[in-house]
Amino acid sequence: AQSVSQHNHHVILSEAASLELGCNYSYGGTVNLFWYVQYPGQHLQLLLKYFSGDPLVKGIKGFEAEFIKSKFSFNLRKPSVQWSDTAEYFCAVNVGYSSASKIIFGSGTRLSIRP
Amino acid sequence: AAGVIQSPRHLIKEKRETATLKCYPIPRHDTVYWYQQGPGQDPQFLISFYEKMQSDKGSIPDRFSAQQFSDYHSELNMSSLELGDSALYFCASSLTSATVNTEAFFGQGTRLTVV
């Protein structure tokens, strides 16, 4: 069964610091990869997604992620964080095409930004 | 643009009562997913529907049932509520086809509190 691992439970950074959140998945076939963000008290919003093509994907709010197939990784990065990036970040995966396969979420990383 | 609509947004029920949560997917989306997110937890997959048929099942208790109707809206029925059922319940929708995947769009959730 596919699973998603996020290495950092809670990350604390100062404004303007660079961010990298780790994500690894376990599945050997075709996968679709996502990063979702959940601001306090709000619903999940899509930051970026990878289906195929260029393994470096750019999302909203200056976020990007790199898909490295050999490492089963899809790490999220941002060169300079802002206080408004304080949120919970979830890596997610679903598998293949055609079937309405479920999306599996990682356990999440809480990002706290010091002003 | 139309989004996923969930109702109600907040619901307070007593133990052993029944609750019904509704989800209206984005127009033309054929797939609906239900997730449960406890306090400080990642979203846990409950169940999904594709073209009005159950397509996948996760950690959904036997006390819960769900269905997708002809207009593609979905309802999650929860009976014999327990304190531990208090959580945020998310619905998501996507368009599933044999050739391309799309991401899931999440509703704002229904916050269920069982007292």
Side-chain angles (χ1 to χ4, degrees):
Chain A
Q2 58 268 32
S3 64
V4 181
S5 299
Q6 290 184 241
H7 315 301
N8 312 102
H9 182 64
H10 189 190
V11 172
I12 304 172
L13 296 172
S14 298
E15 276 195 309
S18 64
L19 169 73
E20 180 158 2
L21 301 182
C23 172
N24 286 89
Y25 64 93
S26 64
Y27 185 74
T30 302
V31 291
N32 305 307
L33 297 157
F34 311 89
W35 275 97
Y36 284 88
V37 60
Q38 187 174 30
Y39 297 103
Q42 295 194 22
H43 64 295
L44 293 158
Q45 300 174 48
L46 183 70
L47 268 182
L48 47 77
K49 62 191 179 191
Y50 173 80
F51 290 160
S52 63
D54 189 343
L56 184 62
V57 292
K58 295 192 183 296
I60 60 171
K61 305 186 181 187
F63 287 92
E64 64 178 33
E66 185 175 12
F67 169 55
I68 303 179
K69 190 174 181 180
S70 60
K71 294 184 179 180
F72 297 89
S73 70
F74 190 56
N75 292 354
L76 181 71
R77 298 195 292 251
K78 185 171 183 178
S80 177
V81 295
Q82 301 171 301
W83 180 80
S84 58
D85 293 326
T86 296
E88 188 96 19
Y89 291 81
F90 293 97
C91 182
V93 60
N94 80 342
V95 174
Y97 296 111
S98 73
S99 64
S101 55
K102 58 185 176 285
I103 300 163
I104 303 295
F105 287 89
S107 54
T109 297
R110 191 192 323 166
L111 176 63
S112 300
I113 305 297
R114 292 189 291 252
Chain B
V4 178
I5 306 296
Q6 290 188 247
S7 69
R9 291 291 308 278
H10 302 272
L11 189 58
I12 300 175
K13 290 284 186 178
E14 295 188 354
K15 282 193 303 183
R16 292 181 288 279
E17 283 193 315
T18 298
T20 297
L21 279 53
K22 297 185 180 182
C23 171
Y24 297 87
I26 292 173
R28 291 183 294 281
H29 279 192
D30 51 19
T31 304
V32 167
Y33 310 81
W34 284 98
Y35 286 83
Q36 177 192 58
Q37 186 179 28
Q41 303 292 315
D42 56 296
Q44 293 293 313
F45 172 72
L46 292 177
I47 196 166
S48 63
F49 293 88
Y50 169 63
E51 284 292 345
K52 294 156 278 186
M53 299 287 288
Q54 181 183 308
S55 60
D56 209 340
K57 198 170 181 180
S59 51
I60 184 169
D62 292 340
R63 299 177 289 109
F64 294 5
S65 64
Q67 57 183 322
Q68 187 178 29
F69 294 86
S70 58
D71 63 352
Y72 291 94
H73 94 273
S74 179
E75 294 184 3
L76 177 66
N77 297 293
M78 309 158 71
S79 62
S80 302
L81 288 169
E82 303 173 356
L83 295 178
D85 296 329
S86 295
L88 194 55
Y89 290 83
F90 287 113
C91 170
S93 75
S94 69
L95 177 64
T96 301
S97 77
T99 57
V100 65
N101 264 16
T102 64
E103 69 266 25
F105 293 83
F106 283 80
Q108 296 203 322
T110 294
R111 184 168 297 283
L112 172 67
T113 303
V114 181
V115 298

